[in-house]
Amino acid sequence: MARRSVLFSPGDDGKKLRKAAAIKADVIVYDLEDAVVPDAKPAARETVREALVDVMPAAPEVCVRVNPVGSGAEDDLAVVLDGPAPDSVMLPKARDASDVRKLASLLETHGVDCPVLALVESAAGVLHAEAIAAAAPTDALVFGAEDLAGDIGATRTASGREVSHARQHVVLAARAAGVSPIDTHYPDFNDLDGLRTDAQAAIELGYDGKLAIHPAQVPVINETFSPDEDRIEWAEQILDARDAADGGVFVVDGEMIDAPQVNQARRVLERAGIDRD
Ligand code: COA
Ligand code: MG
């Protein structure tokens, strides 16, 4: 299942955790990290564990964002995994592959083997993104622009040029390891036009999906990351022509087509949820 929209809900707000399940996000993330102040974390762990019991059967993919390894992940998992395990776990502030491996071994001590969504949101994380993506449990590489800007001393601008190198690097690292790249969230949840433009830019860079922080962002992200009919038709046409050709180079609508376009066409159909080799 494609992860187009990945919606955060604060782990200390049981009402939002339950509400999130009714929103058509591909992934809902119960957050125990930045959305929860330190004093509220012990209660939030219980709230998340209880919400998992209620929500797991009805929701799509349910993920829990733990605190960084060595700074709370241990306590988070001890409480949360006392109930049903989430479908996946998000690791914030992944600095290198050893952070992912430490999380995997913590999960193993609880008898849980689930995919890890690793957040790359620091200078070290970006520089080690390839190894983080290649670590065994990593299933998606998530780009976090806000924390990264803080870490490198950058000023956030409307154009986003201060994080553009990192944003592109995360796609390269994810694709090199065969995992999915997911883009940073768009902070102004009232500006849906701005979100649409930002999501379109993410698609052009190669991202498969985008983080969301508010329910209103989810339909915009789902729609933008779903290929439109013209694009699906184009992809079907390319693959039909490929099947009809003897292999190698062929022509569609006067345009030379070879392996790169075939790969693009495959990805479009994958994104549309259409199964085809
Ligand atoms: N998940 C589930 N439900 C949410 C939600 C979320 N992330 N954000 C808002 N809602 C719900 C609200 O509870 C409200 O429900 P109601 O109509 O039944 O009362 C409805 O959607 C409308 O919300 P709204 O009033 O517009 O926003 P808010 O002021 O309640 O919340 C935020 C604004 C930013 C605090 C909230 O969207 C939020 O908590 N976002 C996630 C923050 C987070 O997890 N950050 C960490 C990752 S960066
Ligand atoms: Mg953060």
Side-chain angles (χ1 to χ4, degrees):
M1 174 72 183
R3 295 186 181 107
R4 296 165 304 175
S5 51
V6 179
L7 173 69
F8 279 110
S9 285
D12 58 350
D13 186 337
K15 189 182 145 228
K16 281 201 179 88
L17 298 186
R18 284 172 180 78
K19 200 178 160 89
I23 296 157
K24 299 276 175 244
D26 293 330
V27 186
I28 53 178
V29 185
Y30 289 175
D31 188 21
L32 289 170
E33 200 222 7
D34 284 350
V36 182
V37 296
D39 286 353
K41 288 191 199 276
R45 292 175 184 126
E46 308 281 347
T47 306
V48 166
R49 186 185 59 203
E50 284 158 20
L52 284 174
V53 174
D54 300 345
V55 161
M56 286 292 287
E61 178 174 348
V62 184
C63 178
V64 172
R65 179 162 79 167
V66 293
N67 286 279
V69 176
S71 309
E74 298 76 2
D75 294 341
D76 296 336
L77 292 177
V79 177
V80 171
L81 295 181
D82 203 23
D87 298 309
S88 54
V89 172
M90 186 180 282
L91 175 68
K93 302 187 176 65
R95 290 159 306 185
D96 54 32
S98 74
D99 281 346
V100 185
R101 284 196 291 267
K102 280 181 201 151
L103 178 69
S105 87
L106 270 176
L107 288 168
E108 203 183 319
T109 57
H110 291 281
V112 173
D113 175 19
C114 71
V116 171
L117 282 56
L119 254 166
V120 169
E121 50 184 348
S122 64
V126 173
L127 293 175
H128 298 133
E130 217 178 315
I132 292 168
T138 304
D139 199 45
L141 215 52
V142 187
F143 178 51
E146 305 307 321
D147 277 274
L148 176 67
D151 191 46
I152 64 177
T155 305
R156 292 293 274 134
T157 65
S159 76
R161 68 178 182 279
E162 67 286 355
V163 294
S164 66
H165 171 75
R167 197 182 186 195
Q168 296 186 36
H169 184 78
V170 168
V171 175
L172 293 180
R175 294 295 181 206
V179 304
S180 190
I182 296 168
D183 190 36
T184 192
H185 72 276
Y186 188 76
D188 183 353
F189 57 83
N190 291 309
D191 177 11
L192 297 181
D193 287 336
L195 169 66
R196 194 172 285 109
T197 305
D198 195 45
Q200 190 56 46
I203 290 177
E204 286 162 9
L205 293 179
Y207 278 97
D208 284 339
K210 192 167 177 62
L211 298 176
I213 49 165
H214 190 280
Q217 294 185 318
V218 170
V220 175
I221 293 175
N222 284 348
E223 190 197 314
T224 313
F225 278 89
S226 303
D228 61 24
E229 276 176 26
D230 287 352
R231 191 77 177 139
I232 294 173
E233 202 180 307
W234 169 83
E236 300 267 23
Q237 217 183 341
I238 299 288
L239 294 188
D240 288 347
R242 187 260 336 247
D243 291 347
D246 274 343
V249 179
F250 51 97
V251 174
V252 172
D253 280 345
E255 206 183 308
M256 186 203 82
I257 305 291
D258 57 5
Q261 287 93 341
V262 168
N263 284 338
Q264 283 178 36
R266 272 205 203 100
R267 222 178 265 295
V268 167
L269 294 184
E270 211 176 279
R271 215 169 249 161
I274 297 169
D275 214 10
R276 203 178 146 161
D277 289 338

Short mmCIF file of all heavy atoms in Angstrom, two decimals, residues 32-62:
data_model
loop_
_atom_site.label_atom_id
_atom_site.label_comp_id
_atom_site.label_asym_id
_atom_site.label_seq_id
_atom_site.Cartn_x
_atom_site.Cartn_y
_atom_site.Cartn_z
N LEU A 32 4.73 10.33 20.19
CA LEU A 32 5.18 10.45 21.59
C LEU A 32 6.39 11.39 21.69
O LEU A 32 6.89 11.62 22.78
CB LEU A 32 5.57 9.06 22.12
CG LEU A 32 4.39 8.11 22.37
CD1 LEU A 32 4.89 6.70 22.67
CD2 LEU A 32 3.52 8.62 23.51
N GLU A 33 6.85 11.91 20.54
CA GLU A 33 8.06 12.76 20.59
C GLU A 33 7.71 14.25 20.70
O GLU A 33 7.12 14.67 21.70
CB GLU A 33 8.94 12.47 19.37
CG GLU A 33 10.40 12.92 19.58
CD GLU A 33 11.01 13.60 18.37
OE1 GLU A 33 10.30 13.86 17.41
OE2 GLU A 33 12.23 13.91 18.42
N ASP A 34 7.95 15.01 19.64
CA ASP A 34 7.87 16.47 19.75
C ASP A 34 6.48 17.02 20.08
O ASP A 34 6.37 18.13 20.62
CB ASP A 34 8.36 17.13 18.45
CG ASP A 34 9.89 17.08 18.34
OD1 ASP A 34 10.54 16.74 19.34
OD2 ASP A 34 10.40 17.40 17.26
N ALA A 35 5.42 16.28 19.76
CA ALA A 35 4.07 16.80 20.04
C ALA A 35 3.71 16.71 21.51
O ALA A 35 2.68 17.23 21.94
CB ALA A 35 3.03 16.05 19.20
N VAL A 36 4.55 16.02 22.30
CA VAL A 36 4.22 15.80 23.72
C VAL A 36 5.34 16.38 24.59
O VAL A 36 6.51 16.03 24.43
CB VAL A 36 4.07 14.28 24.01
CG1 VAL A 36 3.69 14.04 25.46
CG2 VAL A 36 3.05 13.64 23.07
N VAL A 37 4.96 17.26 25.53
CA VAL A 37 5.98 17.85 26.41
C VAL A 37 6.47 16.77 27.38
O VAL A 37 5.75 15.81 27.69
CB VAL A 37 5.44 19.07 27.19
CG1 VAL A 37 5.08 20.20 26.23
CG2 VAL A 37 4.25 18.71 28.07
N PRO A 38 7.73 16.90 27.88
CA PRO A 38 8.32 15.83 28.69
C PRO A 38 7.44 15.36 29.85
O PRO A 38 7.27 14.15 30.07
CB PRO A 38 9.63 16.44 29.19
CG PRO A 38 10.00 17.42 28.11
CD PRO A 38 8.70 17.96 27.58
N ASP A 39 6.83 16.29 30.58
CA ASP A 39 6.02 15.89 31.75
C ASP A 39 4.81 15.04 31.38
O ASP A 39 4.29 14.28 32.21
CB ASP A 39 5.52 17.14 32.50
CG ASP A 39 6.64 17.80 33.29
OD1 ASP A 39 7.74 17.19 33.34
OD2 ASP A 39 6.42 18.91 33.82
N ALA A 40 4.34 15.22 30.14
CA ALA A 40 3.12 14.51 29.72
C ALA A 40 3.42 13.16 29.08
O ALA A 40 2.50 12.42 28.74
CB ALA A 40 2.34 15.39 28.74
N LYS A 41 4.72 12.83 28.93
CA LYS A 41 5.04 11.60 28.18
C LYS A 41 4.57 10.32 28.88
O LYS A 41 4.04 9.43 28.22
CB LYS A 41 6.53 11.54 27.85
CG LYS A 41 6.91 12.55 26.74
CD LYS A 41 8.30 12.34 26.20
CE LYS A 41 8.82 13.57 25.47
NZ LYS A 41 8.42 13.70 24.07
N PRO A 42 4.74 10.20 30.22
CA PRO A 42 4.29 8.94 30.84
C PRO A 42 2.80 8.68 30.60
O PRO A 42 2.42 7.57 30.22
CB PRO A 42 4.59 9.15 32.33
CG PRO A 42 5.72 10.14 32.34
CD PRO A 42 5.45 11.05 31.18
N ALA A 43 1.97 9.70 30.77
CA ALA A 43 0.53 9.51 30.54
C ALA A 43 0.24 9.25 29.06
O ALA A 43 -0.63 8.45 28.71
CB ALA A 43 -0.24 10.75 31.02
N ALA A 44 1.00 9.93 28.17
CA ALA A 44 0.77 9.76 26.73
C ALA A 44 1.03 8.32 26.29
O ALA A 44 0.33 7.79 25.43
CB ALA A 44 1.66 10.73 25.95
N ARG A 45 2.05 7.69 26.90
CA ARG A 45 2.34 6.28 26.54
C ARG A 45 1.12 5.39 26.81
O ARG A 45 0.76 4.55 25.99
CB ARG A 45 3.53 5.77 27.35
CG ARG A 45 4.83 6.44 26.95
CD ARG A 45 6.01 6.02 27.85
NE ARG A 45 7.18 6.77 27.46
CZ ARG A 45 7.95 7.50 28.27
NH1 ARG A 45 7.68 7.57 29.57
NH2 ARG A 45 8.98 8.17 27.80
N GLU A 46 0.47 5.64 27.95
CA GLU A 46 -0.74 4.86 28.29
C GLU A 46 -1.86 5.18 27.31
O GLU A 46 -2.59 4.29 26.87
CB GLU A 46 -1.23 5.21 29.71
CG GLU A 46 -0.17 5.12 30.81
CD GLU A 46 0.09 3.69 31.27
OE1 GLU A 46 -0.70 2.81 30.91
OE2 GLU A 46 1.11 3.48 31.96
N THR A 47 -2.00 6.48 26.99
CA THR A 47 -3.07 6.91 26.07
C THR A 47 -2.89 6.24 24.71
O THR A 47 -3.85 5.78 24.10
CB THR A 47 -3.04 8.46 25.93
OG1 THR A 47 -3.12 9.03 27.24
CG2 THR A 47 -4.17 8.97 25.08
N VAL A 48 -1.64 6.20 24.24
CA VAL A 48 -1.37 5.58 22.94
C VAL A 48 -1.67 4.08 23.00
O VAL A 48 -2.31 3.52 22.09
CB VAL A 48 0.09 5.84 22.50
CG1 VAL A 48 0.50 4.93 21.35
CG2 VAL A 48 0.26 7.31 22.11
N ARG A 49 -1.24 3.43 24.08
CA ARG A 49 -1.49 1.99 24.18
C ARG A 49 -3.00 1.70 24.14
O ARG A 49 -3.45 0.80 23.43
CB ARG A 49 -0.89 1.42 25.47
CG ARG A 49 -1.01 -0.10 25.53
CD ARG A 49 -0.54 -0.67 26.84
NE ARG A 49 -1.30 -0.11 27.95
CZ ARG A 49 -0.88 -0.05 29.21
NH1 ARG A 49 0.32 -0.53 29.52
NH2 ARG A 49 -1.62 0.46 30.15
N GLU A 50 -3.77 2.51 24.87
CA GLU A 50 -5.23 2.30 24.89
C GLU A 50 -5.85 2.59 23.52
O GLU A 50 -6.73 1.86 23.07
CB GLU A 50 -5.88 3.19 25.94
CG GLU A 50 -5.65 2.67 27.35
CD GLU A 50 -5.80 3.75 28.42
OE1 GLU A 50 -6.43 4.79 28.15
OE2 GLU A 50 -5.27 3.55 29.53
N ALA A 51 -5.36 3.63 22.85
CA ALA A 51 -5.92 3.97 21.53
C ALA A 51 -5.61 2.86 20.52
O ALA A 51 -6.43 2.56 19.66
CB ALA A 51 -5.37 5.31 21.05
N LEU A 52 -4.44 2.25 20.65
CA LEU A 52 -4.09 1.16 19.72
C LEU A 52 -5.09 0.01 19.85
O LEU A 52 -5.49 -0.58 18.85
CB LEU A 52 -2.67 0.65 19.99
CG LEU A 52 -1.52 1.54 19.49
CD1 LEU A 52 -0.18 0.98 19.95
CD2 LEU A 52 -1.53 1.66 17.97
N VAL A 53 -5.51 -0.27 21.06
CA VAL A 53 -6.47 -1.36 21.27
C VAL A 53 -7.77 -1.05 20.52
O VAL A 53 -8.33 -1.88 19.82
CB VAL A 53 -6.78 -1.54 22.78
CG1 VAL A 53 -7.88 -2.57 22.99
CG2 VAL A 53 -5.52 -1.91 23.54
N ASP A 54 -8.24 0.21 20.64
CA ASP A 54 -9.52 0.58 20.02
C ASP A 54 -9.43 0.73 18.51
O ASP A 54 -10.35 0.42 17.79
CB ASP A 54 -10.02 1.94 20.56
CG ASP A 54 -10.21 1.90 22.05
OD1 ASP A 54 -10.25 0.80 22.61
OD2 ASP A 54 -10.31 3.00 22.65
N VAL A 55 -8.29 1.28 18.05
CA VAL A 55 -8.22 1.78 16.69
C VAL A 55 -7.65 0.78 15.70
O VAL A 55 -8.05 0.74 14.53
CB VAL A 55 -7.37 3.09 16.68
CG1 VAL A 55 -6.87 3.42 15.30
CG2 VAL A 55 -8.18 4.24 17.26
N MET A 56 -6.73 -0.08 16.16
CA MET A 56 -6.00 -0.95 15.23
C MET A 56 -6.89 -1.70 14.24
O MET A 56 -6.56 -1.76 13.06
CB MET A 56 -5.15 -1.97 16.00
CG MET A 56 -3.92 -1.40 16.65
SD MET A 56 -2.68 -0.85 15.47
CE MET A 56 -2.08 -2.41 14.91
N PRO A 57 -8.02 -2.27 14.67
CA PRO A 57 -8.79 -3.07 13.71
C PRO A 57 -9.38 -2.23 12.57
O PRO A 57 -9.54 -2.72 11.47
CB PRO A 57 -9.91 -3.69 14.56
CG PRO A 57 -9.48 -3.51 15.98
CD PRO A 57 -8.61 -2.30 16.01
N ALA A 58 -9.70 -0.95 12.85
CA ALA A 58 -10.41 -0.15 11.86
C ALA A 58 -9.49 0.66 10.95
O ALA A 58 -9.85 1.00 9.84
CB ALA A 58 -11.36 0.81 12.58
N ALA A 59 -8.29 0.97 11.42
CA ALA A 59 -7.46 1.95 10.72
C ALA A 59 -6.61 1.30 9.63
O ALA A 59 -6.46 0.09 9.59
CB ALA A 59 -6.55 2.62 11.74
N PRO A 60 -6.05 2.12 8.74
CA PRO A 60 -5.12 1.58 7.74
C PRO A 60 -3.80 1.22 8.44
O PRO A 60 -3.80 0.36 9.31
CB PRO A 60 -4.97 2.75 6.77
CG PRO A 60 -5.33 3.98 7.56
CD PRO A 60 -6.25 3.56 8.65
N GLU A 61 -2.71 1.86 8.13
CA GLU A 61 -1.44 1.60 8.84
C GLU A 61 -1.36 2.52 10.05
O GLU A 61 -1.50 3.74 9.93
CB GLU A 61 -0.26 1.87 7.90
CG GLU A 61 1.08 1.67 8.58
CD GLU A 61 2.25 1.80 7.61
OE1 GLU A 61 2.05 1.81 6.37
OE2 GLU A 61 3.40 1.89 8.10
N VAL A 62 -1.15 1.93 11.22
CA VAL A 62 -1.00 2.73 12.43
C VAL A 62 0.46 2.62 12.88
O VAL A 62 0.99 1.53 13.07
CB VAL A 62 -1.92 2.26 13.56
CG1 VAL A 62 -1.79 3.19 14.77
CG2 VAL A 62 -3.36 2.20 13.11
#
